[in-house]
Amino acid sequence: MIKVTFIEHNGTVRNVEVEEGTSLMDAAVGNLVPGIDGDCGGVSACGTCHLFIEAEWRDKVSPVEETERSMLDFVEDDGPGSRLGCQIKLTRALDGLVARTPVGQH
Amino acid sequence: MMHAANTAVPQAHENPAYAIPLDEIDVSNPEMYRDNTLWGYFERLRREDPVHYCAKSLFGPYWSVTKYKDIMQVETQPRIFSSDSRRGGVTIMDTNTAVQLPMFIQMDPPQHDEHRKSVSPIVAPENLARLEGIIRKRTGDALDALPVGKEFNWVDDVSINLTTQMLATLFDFPWEDRSKLTFWSDATLALPGDGVVDSEEHRMQIMGECAAYMTRLWNERVNADPRPDLISMMAHDERTRNMTPEEYLGNILLLIVGGNDTTRNSMTGGLLALSQSPDQYAKLCANPALVKSMIPEVIRWQTPLAHMRRTATEDTVLGGKNIAKGDKVVMWYVSGNRDEEAIANPNDFIIDRARPREHLSFGFGIHRCVGNRLAEMQLRILWEELLQRWPKPGQIKVLAEPVRVLSPMIRGYTSMRVRIDA
Ligand code: HEM
Ligand code: FES
């Protein structure tokens, strides 16, 4: 199992554990973490799984690919660490990852 | 009385859709939408020819994309499948020449992106929350005015009335003039001679009136303190403050048109779906919190826009078919939303699906509906307020089959007779 910590915009902290290979979006949606919707089911086509990877984890996650980049362009408050959660597969190297979730998605 | 044949998809072999040669299937025929006979044709295409070429139609030759995953392919490759109005725009009808205003729904990147980014924050969830109270109050007032125990037309008295009110609320538009908003929306989409506009000149004249009115509102608001309406937000936001008059009008019209028929027809479709699925109506009344997952299901079930269109910018292959540069490619959301490979029991209306937002009605990719959370909010408020007033299963009765719109684009209703029992 891989441990992930989600920090909500209001500071609420949630620790979840998911199976290796799960996406960060599925880890959030599957554990009812607020602020992550995942409307397209995980194919970089809706932008409603936007979150921010904490600084110390940013160079450990897989790089941003072209489709993800084009969708990230439209999310609110695109900033350092901005990613689509569905494009990050939770490997053992990401055990303990910390991500912040936004107020809402649309 | 409703008859069973209106709800179910007919069995394969008794359906006329299976009686004609495959290459004669033309799913753009507007009559199929008015008569609600489309389902068998799409079911056959999904099974036998998911990416289908139709050589002759009212709208010329075109490709139909009918399966969920192929539609997703088209949606996520905007460089190959263009929305640009100069190539033909986003409907099977080709571009309506009068509306050459800059509307980002019919632009490609990078132009599209800048416009979308300036409008999108305005309909973000935080902003919508500020409008919720007033929308709820006005929705409640409109429902309190409905006749109880008497037959009436749900489309006029609920769906059109509420969507017009909501547009007026969103723009903080002068209340007594609010029917102008619906009129401008209708005039944008009308075909000359259909009773709304007589000619392209007539249409341009109406657009001119709309421009003058909206410019006056902008000028008032840019000089006043910021308020939570869409025009004031655009006038004060640094990303939108410096739009040209054409860009402003294009964005305004797109917001009016985008949110008008679609939301209206979902308001009618929701009641129709519940009345055809009494078990779901009972489930909802037993647990009104299910409104939240019911709303996306209503939008899937209704699919208010049957299709969006693209034009190929290069030769390409889709679902094994060779599509040539310049070909018209139609993504039939109404079919993808009934694709059993993507959605379990797709013909059933189920108000508590696990992932109810996995449907195509809002499109996907860079053009995905910017108003999707706004539309959901409006519908959620409507159903919360309806259930407050009339909480019993079947209490709002559909009395006859509704009259449907003659269009391969707008999936909607012109009337639906109902009665609310005391
Ligand atoms: C149930 C209601 C609605 C449905 C089914 C719907 C459907 C759609 C669809 C299918 C598209 C995608 C176009 C494409 O892929 O080419 C779209 C785009 C759009 N919609 Fe909606 N819509 C709804 C409500 C609204 C509302 C309430 C607004 C007003 C804020 C709105 C504004 C827009 C805009 C501005 C676009 C263009 C987005 C872009 O091109 O980037 N829609 N809508
Ligand atoms: S779930 Fe749709 S982009 Fe990630």
Side-chain angles (χ1 to χ4, degrees), chain B residues 15-284:
Chain B
N15 192 309
Y18 287 82
I20 60 170
L22 198 56
D23 63 0
E24 283 175 23
I25 292 185
D26 170 16
V27 284
S28 74
N29 177 358
E31 290 169 12
M32 289 173 27
Y33 296 81
R34 181 196 57 202
D35 303 339
N36 202 28
T37 53
L38 61 163
W39 307 106
Y41 296 93
F42 280 117
E43 182 196 67
R44 183 164 176 215
L45 289 184
R46 286 194 304 274
R47 285 181 187 168
E48 298 178 22
D49 196 26
V51 178
H52 172 75
Y53 188 69
C54 174
K56 256 193 4 229
S57 84
L58 264 180
F59 311 100
Y62 67 96
W63 290 95
S64 285
V65 189
T66 62
K67 289 200 60 92
Y68 191 104
K69 69 169 190 340
D70 292 331
I71 292 173
M72 200 63 116
Q73 282 289 315
V74 176
E75 295 273 25
T76 50
Q77 298 183 81
R79 263 209 307 257
I80 302 180
F81 299 103
S82 165
S83 295
D84 196 321
S85 57
R86 289 163 301 185
R87 295 182 196 265
V90 291
T91 75
I92 195 171
M93 301 83 161
D94 294 323
T95 307
N96 150 359
T97 49
V99 191
Q100 292 301 3
L101 290 161
M103 295 197 195
F104 58 92
I105 196 168
Q106 42 178 12
M107 291 176 190
D108 288 340
Q111 233 194 338
H112 159 267
D113 305 3
E114 289 314 309
H115 284 256
R116 179 174 170 115
K117 275 190 259 183
S118 69
V119 170
S120 172
I122 294 168
V123 285
E126 307 89 276
N127 275 342
L128 297 183
R130 297 196 257 158
L131 290 165
E132 177 156 353
I134 180 151
I135 292 183
R136 187 177 297 281
K137 165 86 174 59
R138 288 180 168 170
T139 302
D141 290 347
L143 298 184
D144 288 336
L146 291 175
V148 173
K150 283 206 203 85
E151 183 177 332
F152 65 94
N153 180 0
W154 181 267
V155 174
D156 285 338
D157 295 354
V158 177
S159 309
I160 294 182
N161 185 21
L162 283 182
T163 18
T164 306
Q165 288 198 13
M166 284 189 216
L167 281 176
T169 304
L170 294 171
F171 292 113
D172 195 8
F173 192 84
W175 198 242
E176 61 287 358
D177 281 348
R178 66 187 184 275
S179 62
K180 286 186 193 295
L181 289 166
T182 320
F183 176 61
W184 292 332
S185 172
D186 292 343
T188 306
L189 295 179
L191 300 172
D194 67 1
V196 181
V197 302
D198 310 327
S199 61
E200 292 300 334
E201 293 73 47
H202 184 205
R203 193 201 313 268
M204 289 317 286
Q205 180 206 326
I206 297 169
M207 293 300 129
E209 289 162 15
C210 171
Y213 202 114
M214 287 298 190
T215 304
R216 184 160 63 71
L217 295 186
W218 172 284
N219 290 338
E220 282 169 21
R221 292 184 198 174
V222 78
N223 296 318
D225 288 338
R227 284 186 309 196
D229 68 82
L230 298 192
I231 297 175
S232 178
M233 287 188 221
M234 276 197 241
H236 288 276
D237 193 306
E238 62 193 57
R239 284 163 293 205
T240 38
R241 214 166 40 199
N242 299 317
M243 284 187 291
T244 65
E246 289 75 26
E247 284 171 340
Y248 169 60
L249 189 62
N251 285 332
I252 286 280
L253 272 180
L254 180 54
L255 291 170
I256 296 176
V257 173
N260 189 34
D261 296 75
T262 50
T263 313
R264 173 200 303 179
N265 292 318
S266 302
M267 289 182 173
T268 308
L271 178 59
L272 181 63
L274 281 172
S275 83
Q276 293 180 352
S277 307
D279 59 323
Q280 301 298 307
Y281 203 156
K283 201 197 288 181
L284 175 68

Side-chain angles (χ1 to χ4, degrees), chain B residues 402-419:
Chain B
V403 180
R404 293 181 166 82
V405 174
L406 181 71
S407 162
M409 165 85 187
I410 309 267
R411 288 235 317 132
Y413 311 90
T414 52
S415 92
M416 187 164 84
R417 309 299 303 175
V418 307
R419 188 185 64 235

Side-chain angles (χ1 to χ4, degrees), chain A residues 37 39-40 45 66 73 76 106, chain B residues 79 120-121 124 365 368 373:
Chain A
D37 297 336
D39 294 7
C40 75
E66 194 196 323
D73 214 24
E76 234 89 315
H106 78 297
Chain B
R79 263 209 307 257
S120 172
R368 179 170 170 76
R373 297 299 191 260

